[in-house]
Amino acid sequence: MTEIACEAPLLPVVARRERLVTRQFALLLLMVLGSGLSMYLLTSVVPLYLAANGAGGVGAGLSTGAMMLSAVAVELLVPRMLGRFGYRGTLGLGLVLLGAPSLVLLLTASLPAVLAVCVVRGGGLAIMVVGAVALVADLIPAHRRGEGLGLYGVVVGVPAIVGLPLGVYLTNVIGFGALFVVAAVASLGGLAFLAGLPTRSTESEPQHVKVLGGLRGSGLLMPTLVFAAVTVAAGISVTFVPLAVSADRHALVAVALLVQAIAAPAARWVAGRYGDRVGPARPLVAALLLAAFGAGALVFIGSGVAVVVGAAAFGLGFGAAQNLTLAMMYDRVDRTHFGQVSALWNLAYDGGWGLGAILFGAVVAGTGYPLAFGLTAAVVAVAIVPALKAARTAA
């Protein structure tokens, strides 16, 4: 950051203070890189680990569902934790809970033990995502919030780009055990950056605020539900595409996951910059159309082209929807409720992800993959209706 200041010594003091990437923001981004890698390395691998040890598709769905639904439960508590323990204490706990339990998987592959690990990691994930997003909004100037959230989205997307396909690939190279160790170290290493972060918000979150309280008339409910519809499809694609594609085509799965993981953060950043200029409501409809198309392409799961094209379209729609719904929610509250917004948005993320995986695992046994993927696309398509209404209101 000092290098930037030296290159532009004549900039006004106010402009330098409002630069996007401050030292604290940079440290936060480094921390979420590690914690995100810990999550994404194992997102598709734990279902494969269970399937390889006889748990089948139901066990795979339960592993993703357990982690995400645990995250949902803990996310309700994080705004209060931020108010009481501050950013450092809260995020430090999240790093430990996300990383350390991965080592337990070295000892057992039994379904109850693996699900317990997923539950604990889900709590750590909840703390990290809610705390980090709230801190991002706290550190960024309001007029550049969409861009800042977009940059954050690009950085947290890097672990998905690397971790999702790499995790699947490395199971055949270094084995499950070594991968579990790497995932633990990636998260725990973030503890080194805690000292450089602010202790508390510039305007403390009221400790009495209830995450689900005051939603009526707040304008937060619509973007929360719309985003939840998209995350249902996200959880399903990451969990079940590796299982739906035949075992001899794992390279195709790795390519599809890589394409989706690259498309999402790129779209998140572009949508943030564009949303700062025109408002987040207007581009949201296009994002949902892309996501619905991508999810629907998986109806043709036997076609490699359909899988990769669908992954690209869904990644673009999903990434844009991430930024636009979150920016829309932050625009509708004051700074003292940033923690509540972050928790609500992440509830939609993790709740949709986990619930989608659990329900899909139950449905696919009776319908087969093509029809189940078609139903997933229909869920996303329904969300277009309230998004259209919001776009008309904003216009």
Side-chain angles (χ1 to χ4, degrees):
M1 298 305 103
T2 55
E3 191 175 340
I4 294 175
C6 292
E7 290 177 332
L10 299 180
L11 286 177
V13 173
V14 172
R16 288 202 300 269
R17 284 178 180 170
E18 290 191 343
R19 70 183 184 273
L20 196 63
V21 183
T22 62
R23 178 177 179 274
Q24 291 180 330
F25 192 15
L27 291 174
L28 176 64
L29 294 178
L30 289 173
M31 178 184 294
V32 298
L33 271 175
S35 62
L37 185 62
S38 178
M39 174 195 170
Y40 282 110
L41 275 175
L42 302 189
T43 296
S44 293
V45 166
V46 170
L48 289 175
Y49 182 57
L50 286 170
N53 287 277
V58 173
L62 286 175
S63 67
T64 300
M67 182 172 183
M68 294 308 173
L69 294 182
S70 168
V72 167
V74 175
E75 280 161 358
L76 294 169
L77 307 176
V78 177
R80 185 168 295 181
M81 294 172 65
L82 289 172
R84 183 169 183 178
F85 304 116
Y87 287 118
R88 290 184 192 174
T90 304
L91 292 175
L93 177 61
L95 290 169
V96 172
L97 294 180
L98 182 61
S102 304
L103 300 175
V104 176
L105 299 177
L106 294 169
L107 307 176
T108 179
S110 72
L111 182 59
V114 173
L115 292 181
V117 167
C118 292
V119 167
V120 176
R121 295 189 78 230
L125 173 65
I127 293 171
M128 289 305 302
V129 293
V130 174
V133 172
L135 181 52
V136 169
D138 204 26
L139 293 174
I140 301 171
H143 66 280
R144 301 187 70 185
R145 184 173 297 140
E147 183 183 2
L149 291 171
L151 177 60
Y152 172 80
V154 170
V155 173
V156 299
V158 170
I161 293 171
V162 175
L164 283 174
L166 186 63
V168 174
Y169 172 74
L170 287 180
T171 57
N172 296 319
V173 178
I174 63 175
F176 289 112
L179 201 55
F180 297 149
V181 174
V182 171
V185 172
S187 182
L188 296 174
L191 294 170
F193 303 112
L194 279 177
L197 298 181
T199 302
R200 294 191 176 274
S201 169
T202 54
E203 295 186 43
S204 296
E205 187 85 9
Q207 294 189 27
H208 65 276
V209 166
K210 296 180 180 179
V211 172
L212 300 179
L215 291 181
R216 185 185 297 274
S218 67
L220 299 179
L221 189 58
M222 184 281 289
T224 299
L225 294 178
V226 165
F227 185 52
V230 185
T231 61
V232 163
I236 288 169
S237 66
V238 170
T239 302
F240 287 95
V241 168
L243 302 179
V245 175
S246 57
D248 60 342
R249 303 179 74 193
H250 272 178
L252 171 64
V253 175
V255 169
L257 292 175
L258 178 61
V259 168
Q260 180 172 315
I262 292 173
R268 193 170 177 178
W269 178 71
V270 172
R273 288 179 62 88
Y274 184 62
D276 279 343
R277 293 197 297 269
V278 304
R282 290 171 58 186
L284 182 58
V285 174
L288 295 174
L289 286 169
L290 275 172
F293 171 79
L298 294 178
V299 169
F300 308 100
I301 192 67
S303 166
V305 173
V307 171
V308 174
V309 170
F314 183 78
L316 291 171
F318 179 51
Q322 282 180 289
N323 190 301
L324 296 169
T325 52
L326 183 57
M328 187 183 301
M329 293 169 73
Y330 276 128
D331 286 346
R332 298 178 178 186
V333 300
D334 58 47
R335 296 177 70 87
T336 62
H337 287 77
F338 278 1
Q340 181 186 21
V341 164
S342 179
L344 274 174
W345 186 82
N346 282 288
L347 279 170
Y349 195 124
D350 299 331
W353 192 298
L355 188 61
I358 290 174
L359 293 178
F360 191 94
V363 169
V364 74
T367 66
Y369 283 108
L371 179 56
F373 283 129
L375 293 173
T376 302
V379 171
V380 180
V382 168
I384 296 173
V385 177
L388 273 171
K389 182 178 179 181
R392 291 194 187 102
T393 302

